[in-house]
Amino acid sequence: MEFNCCDVLEVQGSRYIITEKIKYNEIIPKADQEQAYKAKPSMQKSPGDYWHEYGLEAVEGTDKIWVTIEYNDNAWCTVSRTSYRKRAPKGFTLHQIGLEKVVDVDGDSGASVGDRAGYKEYQLPCEGGASVFFEENWFKGEKMFAEGSRVPLVNIRLCNDAAAQAIKKKMRNKSMKKRFGAIAGGVGYGVLFLLFLFWSDNDLSWHSIRAMFGVPYTAKEHMHDTSAYYTKTDSDSDYVYTSTLDPVSTALDLIDSVNGDINNERDNLEEGHEVIVFYSGDLVYLITNTDGQTKVKVCEQSKLTQEDWKIIDRTVISSHILDNYATIVRLRDKTGRERLYPTEGSGNTSNTKLYY
């Protein structure tokens, strides 16, 4: 007779649900610490004998029991509960001794495949069976004790009525949620571990984390988050910004915001008439000095006007200064600006000059 996790059993008139199932094999003692579990053949199982131990919880109430069924015993099983006794009660005699190994585990269990324990079973014959006391000495350092009785298998019944099926379904759903939670937790720890590795070699930020998951921080978000940029309420386009920085400083700031990921950069750095164009992803960045104000247009190529294209077409010179700066940013070199231009006063950001 064999049952499975989530089965509802009636045990001596009360209903329980199986929350764990453990299969044991009898093994031959070999190591020194196992020799204490050798005994005369009449008190030992044969190597390879196996049995199942089921952990059950009461459908109503808090009672927890163990049901142990041996593969070659079709008449009897053992029903027991955890005991706080450290030795067999008076009158009990040693009935069986041996060495067990866990070979299979299912459900919510503290046992693991490969765990081994020496065990001793004491019995006190009584009317209708026998009282039993178990002692298990797990080689991972734990001792467990249980006491109960031998019970005819006819007193163990599998329940399949509607109420039992509803309890079984509820238990399965609970187990699935717990397993999913464990998997999700494992994935979460894995992600944290990867972030830790990433952090150890890089300057980790929320933007870097987003980029790792394929959602990079955009320059448009940066402009919305930075006080140096604003859009006029009467602007006919929400992707045209005014920058309080000069055109070169604006370009450097935007290159920083996209981690240097630009291409096809071209510029005209004539003071007072600066035009800087570059591409990043699907967007075009057009930075111009218009009547002394720095204008920034960020949009897809399809949204560029004819006037925009004329400005871009006239800007055919590339000094490679900004391209070189973008390369330095991609290499995570923090000295990029110092290498490309000197700064005169920490508060002066309105007259930046590149030297080349």
Side-chain angles (χ1 to χ4, degrees), residues 5-6 168-177:
C5 281
C6 301
K168 187 174 183 177
K169 182 178 180 181
K170 183 178 179 181
M171 185 65 183
R172 280 182 172 170
N173 290 340
K174 182 179 177 181
S175 298
M176 287 180 65
K177 286 181 180 179

Side-chain angles (χ1 to χ4, degrees), residues 30 81 124 147 199 212 224 230 277 333 352:
K30 292 182 179 180
R81 292 173 175 81
L124 175 66
E147 56 186 317
W199 199 339
M212 287 175 63
H224 280 291
Y230 62 92
V277 184
D333 188 336
T352 304

Side-chain angles (χ1 to χ4, degrees), residues 181-205:
I183 292 171
V187 171
Y189 280 119
V191 170
L192 289 175
F193 178 69
L194 290 176
L195 293 180
F196 171 77
L197 294 180
F198 184 79
W199 199 339
S200 64
D201 292 324
N202 299 278
D203 182 18
L204 187 65
S205 65

Side-chain angles (χ1 to χ4, degrees), residues 7 17 37 41 89 92 101 135 157 162 166 171 180-183 190 206 221 233 247 249 251 281 296 333:
D7 282 348
I17 186 165
Y37 295 93
F92 281 67
K101 180 179 180 180
E135 173 190 316
R157 183 176 68 87
M171 185 65 183
F180 178 78
I183 292 171
W206 172 238
E221 288 178 292
T233 55
S249 294
V296 185
D333 188 336

Side-chain angles (χ1 to χ4, degrees), residues 118-148:
Y119 68 87
K120 293 179 181 179
E121 178 186 341
Y122 298 85
Q123 288 194 5
L124 175 66
C126 58
E127 186 178 351
S131 296
V132 296
F133 181 86
F134 292 102
E135 173 190 316
E136 289 181 319
N137 183 17
W138 293 91
F139 295 133
K140 59 184 179 181
E142 184 180 10
K143 282 191 175 183
M144 298 180 68
F145 304 91
E147 56 186 317

Side-chain angles (χ1 to χ4, degrees), residues 326-337:
T327 301
I328 293 172
V329 172
R330 288 196 295 271
L331 294 174
R332 300 184 182 277
D333 188 336
K334 302 297 185 181
T335 64
R337 297 201 185 194

Side-chain angles (χ1 to χ4, degrees), residues 1-267:
M1 184 180 293
E2 186 174 344
F3 304 108
N4 296 302
C5 281
C6 301
D7 282 348
V8 177
L9 302 184
E10 186 176 280
V11 181
Q12 296 177 298
S14 298
R15 289 197 170 191
Y16 296 83
I17 186 165
I18 298 176
T19 58
E20 63 178 304
K21 176 183 178 181
I22 307 170
K23 182 180 179 180
Y24 296 91
N25 269 9
E26 183 76 14
I27 60 176
I28 301 173
K30 292 182 179 180
D32 291 343
Q33 63 179 341
E34 300 170 353
Q35 297 305 310
Y37 295 93
K38 276 189 173 181
K40 56 185 178 181
S42 62
M43 296 180 66
Q44 283 197 305
K45 294 181 174 71
S46 300
D49 285 356
Y50 68 89
W51 61 98
H52 290 96
E53 191 171 70
Y54 301 92
L56 297 93
E57 294 183 3
V59 171
E60 296 182 359
T62 59
D63 191 24
K64 296 181 180 181
I65 63 174
W66 297 94
V67 172
T68 305
I69 301 176
E70 298 186 18
Y71 81 101
N72 57 356
D73 190 343
N74 296 316
W76 295 86
C77 68
T78 300
V79 177
S80 61
R81 292 173 175 81
T82 299
S83 174
Y84 295 99
R85 297 176 185 267
K86 302 301 181 185
R87 59 171 58 93
K90 187 177 179 179
F92 281 67
T93 58
L94 185 61
H95 175 72
Q96 204 164 58
I97 185 171
L99 190 66
E100 61 189 11
K101 180 179 180 180
V102 177
V103 294
D104 196 19
V105 179
D106 190 21
D108 187 10
S109 176
S112 301
V113 172
D115 287 350
R116 295 179 302 130
Y119 68 87
K120 293 179 181 179
E121 178 186 341
Y122 298 85
Q123 288 194 5
L124 175 66
C126 58
E127 186 178 351
S131 296
V132 296
F133 181 86
F134 292 102
E135 173 190 316
E136 289 181 319
N137 183 17
W138 293 91
F139 295 133
K140 59 184 179 181
E142 184 180 10
K143 282 191 175 183
M144 298 180 68
F145 304 91
E147 56 186 317
S149 60
R150 297 280 287 165
V151 174
L153 273 175
V154 293
N155 292 343
I156 308 291
R157 183 176 68 87
L158 177 65
C159 304
N160 284 312
D161 54 59
Q165 291 299 322
I167 294 168
K168 187 174 183 177
K169 182 178 180 181
K170 183 178 179 181
M171 185 65 183
R172 280 182 172 170
N173 290 340
K174 182 179 177 181
S175 298
M176 287 180 65
K177 286 181 180 179
K178 188 169 183 177
R179 289 182 180 181
F180 178 78
I183 292 171
V187 171
Y189 280 119
V191 170
L192 289 175
F193 178 69
L194 290 176
L195 293 180
F196 171 77
L197 294 180
F198 184 79
W199 199 339
S200 64
D201 292 324
N202 299 278
D203 182 18
L204 187 65
S205 65
W206 172 238
H207 303 162
S208 302
I209 295 172
R210 284 182 48 173
M212 287 175 63
F213 290 96
V215 189
Y217 187 65
T218 66
K220 290 182 73 173
E221 288 178 292
H222 171 72
M223 285 190 283
H224 280 291
D225 295 342
T226 307
S227 60
Y229 304 93
Y230 62 92
T231 55
K232 291 185 178 179
T233 55
D234 60 352
S235 172
D236 60 356
S237 176
D238 63 356
Y239 45 80
V240 176
Y241 300 82
T242 299
S243 171
T244 59
L245 306 174
D246 63 83
V248 173
S249 294
T250 297
L252 296 176
D253 181 62
L254 293 178
I255 291 171
D256 285 338
S257 74
V258 295
N259 296 317
D261 184 20
I262 70 166
N263 54 68
N264 297 330
E265 188 271 331
R266 58 177 69 179
D267 56 63

